[in-house]
Amino acid sequence: MLLLQALFWLSLGAIVYHHAVFPVLLRALARRRGTRPAPPALATDALPNITVVIPAYQEAGFIAAKLADCAALDYPRHRLKVIVACDGCTDGTERRAAEALATPACAGLDVEIRAFPLNRGKVAVLNDVIGALPPGIVALTDVSASLSVDALRRAAAHFTNPAVGVVAGTYALRQAGSAGEAGYWRYQTAIKADEAAVAAPIGVHGAFYLFRRELWRPLPADTINDDVILPMAIVADGAEAVYDRAMVATEEERTQRAQEFRRRVRIASGNVQQALRLWRLGDPRRPRLAFVFLSGKALRAFAPLLLGVMFASNLALAFSGPVLYRLLLLGQVAFYLLALAAIARPAANWPRAMRFAGYFVEGHGAGLVGAMRQLSGRDKGRWSRAAESTGAMDEDYVHPLVRIGKRAFDIIVALAAFLVLAIAFVPVALAIKLTSKGPIFYRQIRVGRSTATHTDLFYLFKFRTMYVDAEARTGPVWATANDPRITPVGRFMRKTRIDELPQAINVLKGDMSIVGPRPERPAFFQKLEKEIPFYTERTHGLRPGITGLAQVNQGYDGSIEDVRSKVGYDHAYAMRLLDPWDWFKTDVWIILRTFSVMVLGKGQ
């Protein structure tokens, strides 16, 4: 009991401190120290050489505008070099860049286009390009970001201080993907300004920042948030970092809602990675920097896990502790329900508090996914454009929130089904043994989830409903009405779907889902793949289910035409997984229909 109470109050205290206390303390300290005065502008002949590196992957639609933006910067052309590093682009990015350089807008701009033949990831490109540069000032900028015209001149003035190793600009969105995203970035820019006033910005906006090449060290190949690891490794070595809010990088590409969630998952995975790799920022010999790092980025990385600990410990205490814990649990449940409503209907005119709850929960949900991906070693630092659906976590079309909710739903329902299985096991086992010879359980190979590179096979568990060696003479055939292979008890179990209960084991193992396409036998799969268009795609990125839209609408397969009809249902169900609210409504409806089949004995 004492351990649970300690876990609850420590996790609650850490969450409140990070989200409410730390920002107030940071703001107060920043005001006390004041803003670093801007250095005087440098004369043109005193400006240093700057190399602007633009990593690019599939950026044909933006690269021309980016080069025109570089040409418009107020910086002498003979002091400025631009390198466009194309990481195995296949969409014509290099060609579009070359065409842009031939226009009057880019006349005289010193640009080198480096086309790497293979897509290896952003970190590999940065290591190759930066590693070959001589000492001097290097600027990194995104293709989709436009820069304020005086950004390079302001940065050059900051570098006159030899202690400064990193100079970062602020970040603005031309058009936010949501009100929550806009508010999030306003908060982030304010926090970074306060961090810089107290010690240093913990991480920079990757859209635009600069550093001294001689202080740079190659990045580990699996680095995710390079805009944190790269500059903060320089700060950890003793250099200073400047955050200049008058240097603005404006994001020109609008992020869609699903892309926003995926980006936050990746950032969250990187947060855990950088918290572990940048531990030197917590050195107590630099107390202001340690305070900012440990209270901000480091605690942020593990906040989703703390929220989980807080809820789990509160749930346990609600059943055994004082009434206070039941009230706190009710408060947590109410908060999460309001948040889920706001997430499910983002376009609705919810009160501001509900919109905040939705963005908070969605953000930490992404954080939990990202943290688990990082701690399990699934993220390897590969990068892609935000608008693409081929990022590190995008194994298929399923919305990330649906993926989380679906797996959580599977585990909860499977545990409940496992309890029913434990209760029903003895009478069902006796009925099977007394009416036919053979084992109680039946194990059969089925085709599971498919990906771009492989298809899973697994053993499906069921209560035996057929006589032993029922297919010894016929081979694999579909079930029919009044099938002679089925035992009398098996017929009852099939009608009530009791025979499916052992599949709770498959769900808990991760082979199956509660709701999904029917898992087919390999003997039928190869034939159906040839006979039915898009048959294989029905389980792409999706676990087969105990029940599903096709199963509750059509029942067991008796012919290829039955399967052909079911494929339509399976693809219709897959479309529901694009939106969390559509998925939730559909799965609830399928579960209710399944219960009606079981109660009314409509199975075959």
Side-chain angles (χ1 to χ4, degrees):
M1 176 68 75
L2 289 177
L3 177 60
L4 286 174
Q5 290 177 337
L7 287 173
F8 174 76
W9 289 110
L10 286 173
S11 56
L12 175 61
I15 292 297
V16 172
Y17 171 75
H18 173 71
H19 289 91
V21 179
F22 167 63
V24 174
L25 286 176
L26 185 65
R27 180 87 280 265
L29 289 172
R31 286 178 177 174
R32 183 176 178 181
R33 290 184 59 81
T35 304
R36 180 196 295 256
L42 295 176
T44 299
D45 59 359
L47 292 171
N49 293 331
I50 294 180
T51 302
V52 177
V53 178
I54 307 173
Y57 176 63
Q58 310 296 57
E59 297 286 4
F62 288 87
I63 192 63
K66 180 63 179 181
L67 291 174
D69 182 72
C70 290
L73 293 171
D74 179 18
Y75 209 77
R77 295 287 174 91
H78 68 285
R79 296 290 189 186
L80 177 63
K81 181 179 179 63
V82 178
I83 298 176
V84 178
C86 297
D87 183 26
C89 298
T90 58
D91 66 340
T93 299
E94 303 101 284
R95 175 178 54 81
R96 293 286 294 133
E99 291 172 354
L101 294 177
T103 63
C106 296
L109 186 65
D110 183 8
V111 178
E112 178 185 351
I113 302 173
R114 296 190 187 178
F116 294 95
L118 299 176
N119 174 232
R120 297 174 299 151
K122 183 179 180 181
V123 169
V125 168
L126 292 180
N127 284 341
D128 279 0
V129 174
I130 299 172
L133 294 177
I137 307 302
V138 179
L140 291 180
T141 180
D142 289 343
V143 174
S144 58
S146 60
L147 309 180
S148 52
V149 293
D150 63 343
L152 295 183
R153 281 187 176 269
R154 294 188 64 89
H158 287 297
F159 280 113
T160 57
N161 180 353
V164 172
V166 177
V167 176
T170 194
Y171 185 68
L173 303 174
R174 184 72 69 192
Q175 188 177 12
S178 66
E181 184 185 23
Y184 170 79
W185 284 113
R186 285 195 299 269
Y187 171 78
Q188 284 297 316
T189 53
I191 286 289
K192 285 195 183 300
D194 289 343
E195 289 175 343
V198 174
I202 306 299
V204 300
H205 304 297
F208 178 60
Y209 67 100
L210 306 92
F211 56 92
R212 297 186 191 273
R213 162 62 182 84
E214 54 269 29
L215 301 180
W216 171 84
R217 289 183 295 170
L219 296 167
D222 62 345
T223 299
I224 296 176
N225 294 346
D226 56 272
D227 53 0
V228 177
I229 298 288
L230 190 160
M232 298 321 295
I234 294 174
V235 172
D237 287 338
E240 295 182 10
V242 174
Y243 186 72
D244 190 339
R245 299 190 75 170
M247 293 165 46
V248 182
T250 303
E251 178 61 56
E252 301 292 344
E253 184 178 13
R254 181 178 181 180
T255 302
Q256 300 302 318
R257 183 172 176 80
Q259 298 163 11
E260 178 187 344
F261 186 89
R262 291 183 173 101
R263 182 173 64 183
R264 291 166 76 180
V265 168
R266 185 161 178 79
I267 290 173
S269 177
N271 285 343
V272 175
Q273 183 187 75
Q274 69 207 21
L276 299 175
R277 292 186 179 179
L278 296 173
W279 58 269
R280 290 186 300 152
L281 296 176
D283 190 335
R285 290 174 294 183
R286 302 168 76 182
R288 291 198 305 271
L289 183 62
F291 161 72
V292 171
F293 171 68
L294 295 175
S295 300
K297 284 288 187 185
L299 192 51
R300 172 74 180 185
F302 299 101
L305 300 176
L306 290 172
L307 284 169
V309 170
M310 183 174 72
F311 186 85
S313 57
N314 193 177
L315 183 64
L317 290 167
F319 291 99
S320 57
V323 68
L324 171 64
Y325 292 106
R326 287 189 282 277
L327 295 175
L328 290 171
L329 180 63
L330 287 175
Q332 284 203 70
V333 170
F335 177 80
Y336 286 121
L337 288 176
L338 291 174
L340 291 174
I343 293 170
R345 291 293 189 191
N349 188 26
W350 299 113
R352 184 175 180 181
M354 280 188 66
R355 293 200 303 272
F356 166 77
Y359 200 76
F360 178 91
V361 170
E362 190 171 17
H364 282 299
L368 182 60
V369 176
M372 297 310 295
R373 289 181 65 85
Q374 181 59 220
L375 294 174
S376 63
R378 294 178 63 191
D379 271 336
K380 302 300 182 184
R382 193 84 169 180
W383 73 303
S384 66
R385 295 190 69 254
E388 290 192 319
S389 61
T390 56
M393 74 159 292
D394 300 343
E395 298 170 355
D396 51 68
Y397 52 86
V398 181
H399 191 285
L401 277 180
V402 174
R403 184 176 303 286
I404 300 167
K406 192 169 178 62
R407 186 56 185 156
F409 179 77
D410 286 344
I411 293 172
I412 293 170
V413 176
L415 287 173
F418 195 80
L419 292 176
V420 175
L421 172 65
I423 296 171
F425 175 75
V426 172
V428 171
L430 285 173
I432 293 172
K433 279 294 188 181
L434 291 174
T435 56
S436 63
K437 296 180 180 179
I440 296 169
F441 293 108
Y442 181 64
R443 193 179 71 158
Q444 189 178 67
I445 293 180
R446 296 292 178 100
V447 178
R449 179 174 54 179
S450 65
T451 68
T453 58
H454 71 280
T455 298
D456 295 331
L457 296 176
F458 68 96
Y459 278 104
L460 179 141
F461 299 100
K462 297 178 69 173
F463 281 126
R464 182 173 59 83
T465 59
M466 290 187 176
Y467 293 105
V468 175
D469 296 330
E471 294 181 338
R473 295 182 179 180
T474 62
V477 294
W478 278 304
T480 60
N482 300 316
D483 196 319
R485 298 172 301 165
I486 301 174
T487 67
V489 171
R491 200 174 309 281
F492 170 77
M493 287 194 292
R494 285 185 166 226
K495 283 185 175 294
T496 58
R497 299 289 175 90
I498 290 175
D499 63 318
E500 312 280 1
L501 281 176
Q503 291 174 45
I505 299 171
N506 292 114
V507 175
L508 292 173
K509 288 176 61 181
D511 296 328
M512 295 180 67
S513 181
I514 296 297
V515 178
R518 181 179 182 273
E520 193 52 81
R521 299 163 69 177
F524 293 141
F525 189 89
Q526 294 179 356
K527 181 179 181 181
L528 295 171
E529 185 179 8
K530 296 178 181 178
E531 296 284 342
I532 303 174
F534 306 110
Y535 179 78
T536 305
E537 286 81 356
R538 60 196 279 275
T539 56
H540 179 71
L542 185 64
R543 295 180 179 91
I546 296 177
T547 185
L549 189 63
Q551 292 93 308
V552 297
N553 278 286
Q554 193 167 303
Y556 286 91
D557 299 333
S559 66
I560 287 182
E561 289 307 314
D562 288 342
V563 180
R564 195 186 307 276
S565 174
K566 275 190 173 182
V567 169
Y569 283 115
D570 290 336
H571 286 297
Y573 177 72
M575 295 300 294
R576 299 292 189 270
L577 306 183
L578 297 170
D579 181 82
W581 182 239
D582 281 349
W583 159 72
F584 180 74
K585 291 189 298 183
T586 303
D587 269 26
V588 169
W589 181 82
I590 290 171
I591 291 296
L592 292 176
R593 283 290 303 272
T594 302
F595 277 131
S596 71
V597 169
M598 294 175 68
V599 173
L600 299 177
K602 293 182 179 180
Q604 179 175 304

